Amino acid sequence: MQKFLNWLEKVLTPMAKAIGENKYLIAIRDGFLLSTPLLIVGSLFLVLTNFPIPNWNEMMSSFLGDNWASMLNMPATASFDIMTILAVAGIGYSLGRQFHVDAMQSAIISLVSFFIVTPFSTPFTPEGATEVYDVASLPLRWMGSSGLFLGMVVALVATRMFVALLNKGWTIKMPDGVPPTVVKSFEALIPSFVIVTVMMIANWIAHATPYGNLQEILFKFLQTPLLSLGNTLGAMIIAYLFLHFFWFFGINGSSVVGAVFNPVLRALSVENMDAFKAGKEIPNIITGQFQDMFATFGGGGSTLSLIIVMIIFCKSQRIKKLSQLSLVPSIFGINEPIIFGLPIVLNPIILVPFVLVPTINIIISYFCMDLGLVNYTNGIQLPWTTPPIISGFLVSGWQAAILQAILIVLGMFIYYPFIKVMDDQYLREEKEAGEKKEDDDISFDDFDFDDL
């Protein structure tokens, strides 16, 4: 095992170093870190509003009133549904600072550029009507994770253009004596005009297509390869490869893949539930419950296994603190804090286990059911926040609960060598940061009073 860890570190450390020195990837990482505290807080409130015990909603309504869920869910909505806005501002700010230009202006230009290529309308069909109306609004659909990929690209492009135009001297020079804030504002005037014009032209071209805007073009393009998927084991593996590939780039893979695949899974779940109620033989292995309860534990990538490894084996303070804060949400299937806080997005070190663990879970679970070792899922609809072990027992019996536990442990073994490489990297960074802080500290011992 130690030889494998040494080999893996030898292969992945240069990659990690290259990533750690890449300005664009650093900007993306820092942009996500801006929203990480809010995502953790929002996750805790999301667990409270979807707590997986019987009659939870009725019990809370008797204490807090009928609107308790919508009120309690506001922190989650306010953080998850504006994730892209925070990331765009953070990416622009970080990249601008690395290129030594006005970071705040970079963030503002990135945000404005993102809003230019995003439609300011939401489709709405009134009750009882068939015609769809476009209502002027700020669509939360694109402010959350669905718009994140385009937001990252726009922030990087807009900020890089801003840097290039400043370096070319396309600025308005102010005379001496003008306050620095005013000077910076006028310096950004011409670059801002050029960038906004370019983004407007891009949006204009997109508007001329049948899709109407860049957001829809991207979303439809990602969904196209999924349209031919069926309900076989091969189809589910392909769907989950796509799903986790999208998550790697910061795109909500569940939304993209689910729009195509979930209707098929729901229909298969209904068939199983009807057969279960009638006392007949349950027909389908691949169902919505199979996906929710056996493919991933703790969210995309089956990151509950990863978090347990982080808590038990990792030594860097960054990873230990993040894992402790992310554990409770992960138990209930919420893993945005770890996706964007570790991060997993654009992190090639974690990509292999992030894709491999769910794929292995699907294959093992499928053959355990096909061989009769575990019962088929019964089609009962459980809250999506139901923790593993409990969920397996309820939808498929005690054998399924044992299978879930085995898969979580297996996932830990797969994640371990990869997260240890990251842990060692972070330990070195923390050590260097501590030594630098000690060197920067001022002590009376540093003064030579004989020189006074």
Side-chain angles (χ1 to χ4, degrees):
M1 183 64 175
Q2 188 58 45
K3 289 184 178 180
F4 175 70
L5 288 176
N6 293 338
W7 174 83
L8 195 64
E9 185 169 0
K10 183 179 179 181
V11 172
L12 295 180
T13 297
M15 187 185 302
K17 183 179 180 181
I19 293 169
E21 295 173 352
N22 185 283
K23 288 183 172 64
Y24 303 99
L25 295 179
I26 291 172
I28 292 172
R29 181 197 65 191
D30 292 349
F32 289 141
L33 289 176
L34 183 69
S35 61
T36 299
L38 296 174
L39 292 176
I40 293 173
V41 173
S43 298
L44 296 175
F45 279 95
L46 195 60
V47 170
L48 289 176
T49 53
N50 296 275
F51 205 69
I53 64 173
N55 302 318
W56 174 254
N57 187 54
E58 291 78 5
M59 182 179 68
M60 294 296 288
S61 296
S62 64
F63 288 105
L64 302 176
D66 293 336
N67 294 327
W68 76 272
S70 60
M71 297 301 295
L72 205 61
N73 205 40
M74 282 303 297
T77 301
S79 53
F80 283 82
D81 289 359
I82 63 165
M83 181 193 307
T84 295
I85 297 177
L86 299 175
V88 168
I91 291 169
Y93 185 93
S94 175
L95 189 60
R97 186 173 58 180
Q98 291 181 79
F99 279 103
H100 307 293
V101 300
D102 188 346
M104 187 58 69
Q105 287 290 346
S106 300
I108 293 171
I109 291 171
S110 298
L111 270 179
V112 172
S113 298
F114 172 71
F115 286 133
I116 289 173
V117 300
T118 300
F120 274 67
S121 63
T122 303
F124 173 69
T125 305
E127 187 176 352
T130 57
E131 187 174 355
V132 180
Y133 297 89
D134 284 331
V135 180
S137 62
L138 193 64
L140 290 179
R141 176 189 181 190
W142 304 123
M143 301 301 106
S145 56
S146 294
L148 189 56
F149 183 72
L150 182 60
M152 289 190 298
V153 173
V154 168
L156 294 175
V157 171
T159 303
R160 195 62 187 86
M161 288 178 64
F162 182 59
V163 172
L165 292 170
L166 287 178
N167 291 339
K168 285 182 175 293
W170 289 24
T171 60
I172 297 176
K173 304 295 183 181
M174 300 298 290
D176 294 338
V178 177
T181 305
V182 177
V183 172
K184 290 181 179 179
S185 297
F186 276 88
E187 281 183 350
L189 186 58
I190 294 177
S192 297
F193 177 79
V194 174
I195 294 167
V196 166
T197 302
V198 170
M199 294 298 172
M200 180 192 67
I201 293 171
N203 185 61
W204 198 352
I205 294 171
H207 187 71
T209 69
Y211 301 106
N213 58 76
L214 285 174
Q215 296 279 17
E216 287 290 352
I217 289 174
L218 181 65
F219 201 73
K220 297 294 183 182
F221 174 76
L222 293 175
Q223 284 185 338
T224 300
L226 304 172
L227 293 177
S228 60
L229 290 179
N231 65 341
T232 63
L233 173 62
M236 188 158 196
I237 292 174
I238 293 171
Y240 263 70
L241 289 175
F242 272 106
L243 186 152
H244 289 87
F245 181 74
F246 292 150
W247 266 124
F248 176 73
F249 288 99
I251 303 166
N252 189 331
S254 302
S255 297
V256 178
V257 176
V260 177
F261 203 47
N262 284 347
V264 176
L265 296 178
R266 279 195 292 268
L268 296 170
S269 297
V270 171
E271 290 181 9
N272 279 19
M273 185 168 59
D274 290 342
F276 179 70
K277 287 180 179 178
K280 299 179 180 178
E281 182 179 356
I282 297 176
N284 304 308
I285 295 178
I286 304 294
T287 63
Q289 286 71 40
F290 181 89
Q291 171 185 251
D292 296 338
M293 310 306 174
F294 297 97
T296 56
F297 306 103
S302 202
T303 49
L304 180 58
S305 299
L306 171 61
I307 292 173
I308 295 172
V309 171
M310 290 164 65
I311 291 175
I312 297 175
F313 299 105
C314 291
K315 299 177 181 179
S316 66
Q317 289 302 307
R318 174 177 173 178
I319 288 182
K320 288 192 75 70
K321 294 295 183 184
L322 178 64
S323 61
Q324 291 165 2
L325 292 170
S326 302
L327 178 61
V328 173
S330 183
I331 290 173
F332 295 94
I334 302 166
N335 72 338
E336 277 79 1
I338 206 74
I339 291 282
F340 299 106
L342 186 60
I344 289 173
V345 173
L346 293 178
N347 184 348
I349 296 176
I350 296 295
L351 174 62
V352 172
F354 186 70
V355 174
L356 184 62
V357 171
T359 304
I360 290 176
N361 290 347
I362 291 169
I363 294 172
I364 292 176
S365 299
Y366 182 90
F367 283 107
C368 282
M369 293 183 181
D370 187 54
L371 295 172
L373 302 177
V374 176
N375 297 325
Y376 289 12
T377 56
N378 53 28
I380 293 175
Q381 299 296 318
L382 295 178
W384 62 275
T385 51
T386 305
I389 313 301
I390 297 173
S391 63
F393 177 77
L394 293 176
V395 302
S396 190
W398 63 267
Q399 300 95 330
I402 294 175
L403 174 61
Q404 286 181 322
I406 292 172
L407 292 176
I408 291 172
V409 173
L410 178 61
M412 292 171 59
F413 279 100
I414 297 173
Y415 267 116
Y416 174 79
F418 296 91
I419 192 60
K420 282 299 293 180
V421 172
M422 284 192 68
D423 185 47
D424 291 342
Q425 177 191 349
Y426 289 160
L427 275 174
R428 288 192 293 269
E429 292 176 359
E430 290 171 4
K431 183 179 179 180
E432 291 171 2
E435 292 173 352
K436 183 178 179 181
K437 183 178 179 181
E438 289 178 3
D439 292 341
D440 291 341
D441 287 343
I442 298 175
S443 171
F444 281 109
D445 296 334
D446 297 331
F447 291 99
D448 188 350
F449 290 99
D450 294 336
D451 294 336
L452 296 178

